[in-house]
């Protein structure tokens, strides 16, 4: 089927469907009474684009028995007018013709004069439209034989019904229910500046380019943009599913998921240590991703609660200008008196990586864990940073001498030339993976499963290579 612009497809067929112009088309409007009376005089419609001039001319044409001829003065010539005149009085037009002449201001005096005789005897009923003041651009003899009606810009409130019709029609055309965000209709109605055609073009463009709800995925992620963006971009390119990303700290997003359990807004939690995900298991439902057998056994979830994404060793870091390598070799060194109050550590209630770091330290040290927590709190001396990114900044800047972070972020800062060095604690560390999880009762569960499959696939894992992240796959 040939393309037809929405503005033309939705064009009103009756006067009752025309929006605006109540001063001439209202129940007692003069133009309405002329049209309904059936005796149509020569008319000139004057006003801005998109205010209904062509629409009203079409309605008039349907109410007469005369053949309608359309000319646009920007391209028409005297020969076009002669062809129309030649039909008058023939079987083609025994009662004369109705001529709709758009942009009449572009006809010169001679072209306008060629119409006068036939306007005078009624063989041609002229309906002309112009966006310019006709008293300056239309020949006086034509004006004297015509009635001029001014079409005014449509008020925003009057444009809204047309927008609603356009949305419904676009929904039928696309085979899906069309809708606008809150305030969207009102914004279009105001922004179109009284031009209904412009508002229809906006509706058509927005709804034609809008993604369908079934092609959507909402991802909560604690990853930095440089991590999630390549993954999301490649996923969208391959699947056609469009992704809404909500970024934040692990703990913040997990708390949000817990608050939304009755009415989930997200489909996937992408990021956060798997121990953090496991601590919020009520928010997720099990799913074993495609290609599970290619994931290294130590990174697999036994119950499918999470899908591993990358392996992130916990490391210690120190400022190379303030500490010598032998001063920080393991977890026990954090309790040295000279480091008291000089350890960079983010609030584990906010930072998932700090939570993983704390758990790793307690496992590595062994013994009485409550005592170890008390000793570590003493070593911090009440100092706790707001986010994991602050750890690197504090150590490299010299505000702190040492810190606990992840290998990935530390290596990036080393590459950037910061004055820090990494230590893999001699007591041992963890390679706890971060992961993704399917939100329980997710709005788009099939798309969520497709995303989880992608994050663990070979191609997605290859994208980790340049980001100092270790793959969880065996191949």
């Amino acid at each position: 089927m040939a393309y037809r612009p929405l503005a033309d497809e939705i064009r009103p067929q009756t006067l009752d469907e025309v929006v605006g112009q109540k001063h001439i088309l209202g129940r007692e409007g003069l133009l309405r009474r002329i049209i309904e009376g059936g005796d149509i005089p020569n008319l000139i419609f004057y006003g801005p684009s998109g205010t209904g001039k062509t629409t009203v001319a079409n309605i008039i044409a349907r109410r007469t028995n005369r053949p309608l001829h359309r000319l646009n003065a920007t391209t028409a010539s005297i020969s076009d007018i002669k062809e129309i005149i030649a039909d008058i009085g023939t079987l083609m037009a025994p009662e004369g013709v109705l001529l709709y002449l758009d942009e009449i201001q572009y006809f010169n005096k001679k072209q306008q004069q060629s119409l006068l005789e036939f306007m005078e005897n009624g063989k041609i009923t002229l309906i002309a439209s112009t966006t310019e003041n006709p008293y300056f651009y239309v020949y006086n003899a034509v004006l004297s034989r015509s009635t001029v009606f001014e079409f005014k810009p449509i008020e925003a409130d009057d444009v809204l019904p047309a927008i609603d019709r356009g949305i419904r029609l676009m929904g039928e055309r696309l085979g899906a229910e069309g809708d606008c965000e809150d305030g969207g209709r009102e914004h279009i109605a105001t922004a179109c500046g009284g031009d209904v055609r412009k508002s229809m073009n906006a509706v058509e463009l927005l709804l034609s380019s809008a993604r369908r709800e079934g092609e959507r995925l909402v991802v909560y992620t604690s990853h930095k943009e440089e991590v999630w963006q390549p993954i999301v971009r490649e996923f969208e390119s391959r699947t056609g599913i469009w992704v809404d990303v909500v970024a934040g700290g692990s703990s913040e997003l997990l708390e949000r998921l817990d608050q939304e359990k009755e009415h989930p807004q997200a489909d996937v939690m992408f990021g956060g240590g798997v121990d953090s995900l496991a601590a919020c298991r009520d928010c997720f439902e099990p799913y074993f991703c495609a290609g599970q057998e290619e994931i290294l056994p130590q990174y697999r979830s036994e119950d499918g609660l999470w899908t591993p994404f990358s392996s992130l060793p916990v490391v210690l870091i120190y400022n190379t200008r303030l500490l010598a390598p032998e001063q920080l070799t393991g977890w026990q060194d954090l309790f040295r008196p000279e480091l008291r109050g000089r350890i960079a550590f983010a609030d584990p209630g906010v930072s998932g990586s700090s939570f993983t770091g704390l758990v790793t330290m307690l496992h590595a040290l062994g013994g009485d864990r409550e005592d170890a927590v008390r000793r570590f709190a003493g070593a911090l001396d009440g100092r706790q940073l707001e986010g994991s990114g602050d750890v690197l900044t504090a150590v490299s800047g010299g505000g702190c001498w040492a810190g606990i972070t992840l290998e990935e972020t530390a290596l990036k800062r080393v590459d950037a030339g910061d004055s820090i060095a990494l230590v893999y604690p001699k007591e041992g560390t963890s390679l706890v993976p971060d992961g993704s999880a399917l939100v329980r009762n997710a709005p788009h569960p099939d798309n969520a499963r497709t995303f989880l499959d992608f994050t663990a696939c070979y191609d997605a894992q290859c994208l980790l290579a340049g980001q100092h992240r270790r793959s969880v796959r065996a191949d």
Side-chain angles (χ1 to χ4, degrees):
M1 182 183 297
Y3 167 72
R4 185 181 179 190
L6 177 64
D8 185 60
E9 189 173 351
I10 202 173
R11 196 181 294 280
Q13 303 299 307
T14 67
L15 292 177
D16 290 333
E17 293 177 352
V18 177
V19 297
Q21 313 310 337
K22 292 183 175 61
H23 63 296
I24 54 176
L25 294 175
R27 285 298 170 191
E28 298 302 320
L30 177 59
L31 180 56
R32 186 186 190 108
R33 284 186 283 146
I34 289 174
I35 295 171
E36 290 178 342
D39 294 325
I40 309 299
N42 297 304
L43 301 169
I44 295 177
F45 295 158
Y46 149 53
S49 298
T51 52
K53 301 186 296 296
T54 302
T55 294
V56 173
N58 288 338
I59 292 172
I60 292 173
R62 283 192 294 272
R63 297 179 71 100
T64 69
N65 293 321
R66 294 185 176 190
L68 173 67
H69 292 266
R70 301 173 187 269
L71 291 179
N72 188 297
T74 60
T75 57
S77 64
I78 288 288
S79 61
D80 295 312
I81 297 174
K82 289 180 177 179
E83 287 182 13
I84 294 172
I85 292 173
D87 285 342
I88 295 175
T90 69
L91 292 176
M92 297 292 294
E95 303 297 326
V97 299
L98 188 68
L99 172 61
Y100 177 62
L101 180 58
D102 196 14
E103 304 289 358
I104 190 176
Q105 73 270 18
Y106 290 105
F107 257 20
N108 59 37
K109 184 176 180 180
K110 182 178 180 181
Q111 288 172 313
Q112 292 186 33
Q113 285 179 324
S114 67
L115 300 171
L116 292 178
E117 175 188 347
F118 302 95
M119 291 173 63
E120 188 78 45
N121 61 27
K123 295 299 183 180
I124 287 181
T125 299
L126 175 68
I127 301 177
S129 69
T130 175
T131 55
E132 306 294 341
N133 189 327
Y135 296 100
F136 290 104
Y137 288 90
V138 178
Y139 182 46
N140 284 335
V142 174
L143 280 176
S144 71
R145 291 164 173 77
S146 307
T147 304
V148 178
F149 286 95
E150 181 182 4
F151 282 63
K152 298 179 179 179
I154 313 298
E155 296 293 330
D157 287 343
D158 290 329
V159 177
L160 286 173
I163 291 175
D164 290 336
R165 289 208 312 271
I167 291 173
R168 286 196 299 271
L169 187 57
M170 283 299 297
E172 294 171 6
R173 182 190 290 184
L174 297 172
E177 183 177 354
D179 198 6
C180 280
E181 295 181 359
D182 291 344
R185 297 164 54 257
E186 291 77 8
H187 177 74
I188 294 172
T190 302
C192 74
D195 185 335
V196 178
R197 183 184 295 108
K198 188 181 291 183
S199 75
M200 290 301 100
N201 292 341
V203 169
E204 182 173 19
L205 175 65
L206 291 172
L207 291 184
S208 295
S209 61
R211 303 281 191 174
R212 300 190 185 189
E213 183 64 22
E215 299 170 345
R216 185 178 179 224
L217 179 71
V218 180
V219 172
Y220 287 1
T221 182
S222 57
H223 289 305
K224 298 291 190 294
E225 185 173 354
E226 63 264 24
V227 176
W228 66 254
Q229 190 179 67
I231 298 295
V232 167
R233 184 180 297 161
E234 184 66 18
F235 175 77
E236 289 180 323
S237 174
R238 293 190 181 200
T239 65
I241 297 170
W242 61 290
V243 181
D244 279 340
V245 176
V246 178
S250 300
S251 299
E252 169 198 351
L253 293 172
L254 290 170
E255 182 178 346
R256 180 170 173 175
L257 286 172
D258 185 63
Q259 294 171 349
E260 295 172 350
K261 274 193 299 190
E262 296 301 318
H263 302 285
Q265 303 299 306
D267 300 298
V268 170
M269 176 64 189
F270 180 35
V274 295
D275 47 0
S276 300
L277 299 178
C280 299
R281 61 175 52 249
D282 289 345
C283 295
F284 307 114
E285 63 180 64
Y287 175 67
F288 290 96
C289 69
Q292 175 83 359
E293 65 281 357
E294 298 297 338
I295 295 174
L296 290 165
Q298 63 267 34
Y299 298 131
R300 298 176 191 172
S301 169
E302 293 183 359
D303 57 3
L305 186 69
W306 37 264
T307 298
F309 177 59
S310 61
S311 175
L312 300 171
V314 176
V315 298
L316 302 177
I317 58 171
Y318 65 91
N319 187 300
T320 55
R321 295 173 298 180
L322 300 173
L323 285 179
E326 63 272 11
Q327 289 179 281
L328 186 66
T329 60
W331 297 108
Q332 283 290 354
D333 290 329
L334 293 177
F335 304 123
R336 294 165 65 107
E338 62 267 30
L339 289 182
R340 184 180 179 86
R342 293 168 175 167
I343 300 171
F345 184 73
D347 181 356
V350 175
S351 168
S353 60
S354 286
F355 177 81
T356 300
L358 179 60
V359 172
T360 299
M361 180 183 68
L362 297 177
H363 278 284
L365 290 174
D368 187 340
R369 293 182 180 177
E370 289 187 9
D371 179 64
V373 170
R374 284 193 295 270
R375 291 173 62 205
F376 184 59
L380 293 176
D381 197 26
R383 182 171 187 170
Q384 205 164 236
L385 304 178
E386 292 185 0
S388 57
D390 298 330
V391 173
L392 282 299
T393 302
V395 175
S396 65
C400 292
W401 293 9
I404 301 174
T405 187
L406 298 176
E407 177 189 60
E408 171 218 7
T409 50
L411 288 174
K412 287 180 179 178
R413 297 298 282 267
V414 170
D415 286 350
D418 289 8
S419 301
I420 61 172
L422 281 70
V423 174
Y424 296 91
K426 62 185 179 182
E427 301 94 339
T429 189
S430 66
L431 283 84
V432 177
D434 62 351
S436 307
L438 172 63
V439 175
R440 189 178 298 277
N441 299 319
H444 314 97
D446 291 339
N447 294 345
R449 295 184 183 97
T450 302
F451 183 78
L452 294 179
D453 291 345
F454 179 73
T455 63
C457 78
Y458 179 82
D459 290 347
Q461 292 286 299
C462 287
L463 294 174
L464 303 177
Q467 301 186 24
H468 296 300
R469 285 178 169 256
R470 304 191 186 197
S471 173
V472 296
R473 291 180 64 93
D475 55 354

